[in-house]
Amino acid sequence: MASRVLVTARACRLCRVGSASLSMLAPRVVNTAILSRLHPTAAMPQRSLAQSQPIRMYGSKKKGGKKGGKQSEEEADKRDPDEDPVDMDKMEKNMQARLERLSSELQSLRVGRANPALLNSVRVQLKGGTANLTDIALVTVKDAHNLLVIPNTFGEHTLIDTSIRNAGLGLNPRLDKNAVIVPVPKTTKESREKLIKGLGGMAEQTRVQIRKVRHDAMRQLKTAAKASLPKDEVRSWEKDIQTATDKYIAKAEELLKAKARDIEQA
């Protein structure tokens, strides 16, 4: 009887210590059956923090993608919704610049008749550097087969004569007092055929340049499309870009055909 009272008293003191301490000391004093009647929670197994709280696992995002993709998306996000996705005026201005360059190159082709544009590419070596011939002299037509070059500064006619000879145009100027006369020889059948054949390369180069401008515009449109630009608007812009491209390529073809006719009639 005395031993049973002793056990009960010890168990009560263990209850005040706490369930965690009781679970550690209980096996030394009493069995589990007695503790369950005195303090129900003392005999319950304790779960660890890892068992009581679920662990959430996160997958890592894959890095990569096309280089510059992130930058394009940021540019698309910053785009003003009221702003046109493509600057058509700028695009056509760039195409027109390619067309004007072709026109200048075609005019410089020697076809047997005197044309001041033949000397547009000539640069003159001066004491202070080089300059375009047309900037330092007046180039006019003397007659059907001769050009007349009059320097703006007295004494530069000899420098102009040397520069024209070394320009690779196949021209042999001669001095006439303070001026330079540039004879333009008649073309032969062989030289005309060679010139016309060379037009094909010039045409292809111009088409490539115009299509490059188109490619840049399409890239701008693609960037704008990522900013939730409606698909029907994207198709409309694509059509406008292609229409402008076809227009300037057609203009280039007309310039080349006109030059070919000019060469054949020379």
Side-chain angles (χ1 to χ4, degrees), residues 16-215:
R16 289 195 296 270
V17 174
S19 59
S21 299
L22 182 59
S23 63
M24 297 173 61
L25 299 175
R28 299 180 184 178
V29 182
V30 293
N31 57 37
T32 305
I34 296 174
L35 289 175
S36 63
R37 290 197 299 271
L38 297 175
H39 199 286
T41 60
M44 294 177 61
Q46 300 295 318
R47 292 191 302 171
S48 65
L49 182 61
Q51 293 173 331
S52 60
Q53 296 182 356
I55 298 177
R56 180 174 297 176
M57 304 299 291
Y58 294 93
S60 60
K61 291 184 178 180
K62 293 183 179 181
K63 296 181 179 180
K66 293 184 178 180
K67 185 177 181 181
K70 183 177 181 180
Q71 183 178 359
S72 299
E73 292 177 0
E74 291 177 354
E75 292 176 355
D77 293 339
K78 294 179 181 179
R79 192 182 71 85
D80 186 351
D82 296 330
E83 182 183 357
D84 289 339
V86 179
D87 190 340
M88 293 294 292
D89 291 338
K90 182 179 179 180
M91 184 194 76
E92 293 201 36
K93 184 178 180 180
N94 290 335
M95 291 182 176
Q96 180 64 30
R98 271 65 175 179
L99 205 62
E100 291 174 356
R101 185 182 303 172
L102 172 64
S103 178
S104 177
E105 291 175 353
L106 292 175
Q107 289 178 1
S108 66
L109 291 178
R110 181 167 59 83
V111 293
R113 290 192 298 272
N115 184 349
L118 292 175
L119 303 181
N120 284 349
S121 61
V122 176
R123 293 189 63 82
V124 181
Q125 183 66 47
L126 304 174
K127 293 181 179 179
T130 60
N132 291 327
L133 173 62
T134 53
D135 292 336
I136 64 170
L138 174 65
V139 182
T140 62
V141 176
K142 186 175 186 296
D143 54 50
H145 299 289
N146 291 278
L147 291 172
L148 179 63
V149 182
I150 303 174
N152 297 335
T153 303
F154 183 83
E156 291 184 348
H157 57 295
T158 55
L159 299 176
I160 292 174
D161 176 84
T162 302
S163 297
I164 294 174
R165 289 179 184 276
N166 298 333
L169 299 175
L171 300 174
N172 295 304
R174 66 175 186 271
L175 298 177
D176 183 19
K177 298 181 180 179
N178 190 45
V180 180
I181 297 177
V182 184
V184 180
K186 294 182 179 181
T187 57
T188 63
K189 181 180 179 180
E190 291 76 10
S191 63
R192 288 194 296 269
E193 291 176 350
K194 184 178 180 180
L195 287 172
I196 293 175
K197 184 178 180 180
L199 294 179
M202 298 175 68
E204 180 59 26
Q205 184 179 6
T206 302
R207 284 192 291 266
V208 169
Q209 292 173 348
I210 292 175
R211 286 169 182 156
K212 184 180 183 300
V213 177
R214 172 190 174 277
H215 174 74

